[in-house]
Amino acid sequence: MDVSMFPELSPEIEAVRDMVNRFMEAEVKPVMDGYEKRREFPRDLVRKAGEAGLYGAVFPESVGGSNMGYLAAVVIQEEMVRNDVRFSSCNNQQGSTCPSAIYFGGTPEQITKYVPNLVAGKTIGMMSLTESGGGSDAEGNMKTFAQRDGDVYRITGQKMWASMANEADVGVLLAKTDRNAGAKGVTAFIVQPKKHPGWKATPIDCLGLSKSMRTNVVFLDDFVVPVEDRLGEEGEGFKIIMRTLQPGRVGVAAKALGVARRCFEEAVRYANERELRGQPIGRFQMIQSDIAEMACAIEASRGLVYKAALMMDASLPSNRIAAIAKFHASQTAKFCADKAMQIFGGYGLAEEYPVSYYRAYADMFFTGEGSANVQKIMIAEDALGYKMADRHHGKTGLRDIRKDDVAGELKSKA
């Protein structure tokens, strides 16, 4: 399938796509199975990806990024997933949610201290929001509590589904500083798990997902965070994280698009190779129907994902389109994964074919950065006029990555 004909894609973006494919072919594909068998985190591959610029597309040059924008970022994530979905597991931690939260809500000193090393792959990042029982009301239902004790906060509680928390050097964690204030009592913190005591991350076994790049349950027992590592003011955590999740949704949508494309490509290849009654099964109308439906769904998702990225690059209101893109792309990933499994038949369960674990990742991207039902609520309330999805655009007081606010702040302090 020719993906180069989308009209908004410049030669520069297509060059980025080609670069990602070359990187994945040369650096990741030959060795990733070995990391999986050893259950070893591929820290050296993350560093190489950072050096190649795979995590810095949305960030300005002042903090080590390439300033290419969100469209470049979604193309990078789409192609990384299409090549090896397992290695793409840390994309958000290195190039989206973790460094973005620090950029949006941090001081210039915090940003220059942490963001460049994250996007360069020199440090491993993570973000921890969700708790057991919190689900889609993670902020309002949060139990983890941060108590100020002089020059530090002491955090006690438990977090769930914290990707890379067992490997992280730096991360962003949300905790209550006021138990009675609901979402307004949530504060964001920059955490350094290897530097301060009280942090224990235990990987969660997830059927079909990577054994080298893990999600975790995190136990916090008087975990220490210096006051200077608080992100924003007390009570600003909800605002920071909601701003961070908007581009995060588009990133997950791009990953879902990559899953859909890989499943489609595998299904097309298999349908042309597998013979039944003397001809490829692709000659049968039932298979052709599945292939046609997959192709249509992918093109529709691509249009939505790229449109959302282009709107963010233009600093236009994009929370609504991000939700639509994420919902549609995650549906498409599940649809294409299911269709591919049907076309493969029993062979879809064999480890020699990737469709089985791509199907598992389709389920994960269906939930990540907000479940399908949460996206539908946001879309429906906007359509009905109950709660406009873009009502906070330009009103949060947080930085705009595309405008490189930090460079001006640093210059004014010099």
Side-chain angles (χ1 to χ4, degrees):
M1 178 169 39
D2 182 7
V3 299
S4 66
M5 300 306 293
F6 197 84
E8 284 83 0
L9 295 187
S10 65
E12 290 78 14
I13 296 293
E14 287 300 342
V16 169
R17 188 191 300 279
D18 291 341
M19 178 272 292
V20 175
N21 285 317
R22 290 195 305 271
F23 176 86
M24 296 296 290
E25 287 287 346
E27 301 290 348
V28 177
K29 285 186 174 182
V31 300
M32 194 62 201
D33 284 344
Y35 281 105
E36 287 292 316
K37 290 176 182 178
R38 297 190 301 271
R39 292 175 174 250
E40 177 186 349
F41 182 76
R43 186 173 284 262
D44 61 328
L45 293 185
V46 175
R47 177 182 52 79
K48 289 180 180 179
E51 291 173 351
L54 271 59
Y55 303 131
V58 304
F59 293 92
E61 295 177 5
S62 62
V63 294
S66 63
N67 201 35
M68 291 198 70
Y70 285 106
L71 182 58
V74 301
V75 167
I76 289 169
Q77 296 204 56
E78 175 190 352
E79 294 301 327
M80 288 181 72
V81 168
R82 188 185 68 84
N83 278 277
D84 195 308
V85 67
R86 300 166 300 183
F87 181 66
S88 73
S89 298
C90 68
N91 281 13
N92 274 19
Q93 287 71 32
Q94 299 304 130
S96 181
T97 50
C98 177
S100 291
I102 296 173
Y103 190 97
F104 289 139
T107 64
E109 291 76 18
Q110 288 173 328
I111 293 166
T112 53
K113 179 179 179 180
Y114 295 111
V115 172
N117 286 334
L118 286 166
V119 300
K122 294 179 180 179
T123 55
I124 303 303
M126 62 123 254
M127 191 181 78
S128 185
L129 166 65
T130 307
E131 298 184 7
S132 177
S136 298
D137 186 26
E139 298 86 2
N141 208 29
M142 190 174 292
K143 301 295 190 296
T144 298
F145 185 69
Q147 177 70 53
R148 183 158 181 174
D149 181 13
D151 293 334
V152 303
Y153 287 89
R154 298 186 181 277
I155 304 179
T156 300
Q158 182 177 321
K159 293 289 186 177
M160 285 292 294
W161 311 116
S163 297
M164 279 9 103
N166 59 322
E167 298 286 346
D169 302 299
V170 62
V172 174
L173 181 139
L174 282 296
K176 284 284 187 71
T177 47
D178 185 341
R179 289 191 175 96
N180 301 315
K184 294 182 179 180
V186 175
T187 300
F189 298 92
I190 300 171
V191 297
Q192 299 179 75
K194 296 179 179 179
K195 185 176 180 180
H196 300 291
W199 179 285
K200 180 183 177 182
T202 302
I204 302 169
D205 288 327
C206 296
L207 188 64
L209 301 186
S210 174
K211 298 299 185 291
S212 62
M213 309 183 85
R214 311 290 298 277
T215 191
N216 300 262
V217 55
V218 177
F219 301 95
L220 301 152
D221 184 9
D222 271 350
F223 175 65
V224 173
V225 178
V227 170
E228 63 262 28
D229 281 342
R230 186 184 65 217
L231 197 56
E233 299 298 325
E234 286 193 6
E236 290 188 336
F238 179 79
K239 176 176 68 174
I240 293 169
I241 207 65
M242 288 298 102
R243 178 67 183 88
T244 302
L245 288 177
Q246 178 181 327
R249 286 192 195 102
V250 180
V252 172
K255 291 182 177 184
L257 178 58
V259 167
R261 284 185 56 209
R262 180 62 182 271
C263 290
F264 176 84
E265 291 164 5
E266 292 291 326
V268 167
R269 181 187 58 77
Y270 188 77
N272 280 320
E273 293 177 354
R274 175 76 164 90
E275 290 192 355
L276 180 66
R277 299 174 186 171
Q279 62 180 335
I281 62 173
R283 294 290 182 182
F284 292 94
Q285 287 186 347
M286 294 292 285
I287 300 297
Q288 290 182 358
S289 175
D290 288 343
I291 295 295
E293 291 178 0
M294 293 165 74
C296 291
I298 288 169
E299 290 300 330
S301 287
R302 179 182 292 112
L304 288 168
V305 174
Y306 289 7
K307 179 181 179 181
L310 286 164
M311 290 179 68
M312 287 193 294
D313 278 333
S315 297
L316 295 172
S318 51
N319 203 38
R320 173 182 172 275
I321 190 63
I324 292 173
K326 199 274 178 182
F327 173 76
H328 195 281
S330 63
Q331 295 276 352
T332 296
K334 285 178 67 69
F335 175 77
C336 290
D338 286 343
K339 289 296 184 183
M341 289 291 288
Q342 293 170 28
I343 291 171
F344 269 79
Y347 284 104
L349 301 173
E351 289 188 358
E352 64 180 293
Y353 297 108
V355 292
S356 60
Y357 64 80
Y358 269 83
R359 189 184 192 186
Y361 277 93
D363 288 336
M364 186 180 78
F365 297 146
F366 194 76
T367 303
E369 255 72 357
S371 69
N373 283 341
V374 168
Q375 309 309 311
K376 287 199 289 186
I377 290 170
M378 187 185 307
I379 296 163
E381 289 185 338
D382 182 274
L384 291 163
Y386 300 158
K387 188 183 294 184
M388 307 310 291
D390 291 314
R391 64 192 181 278
H392 297 306
H393 181 75
K395 301 176 183 178
T396 63
L398 301 175
R399 294 183 185 83
D400 186 339
I401 287 178
R402 304 304 301 134
K403 294 180 179 178
D404 193 4
D405 300 327
V406 171
E409 293 177 37
L410 291 172
K411 186 176 180 180
S412 66
K413 288 190 174 186

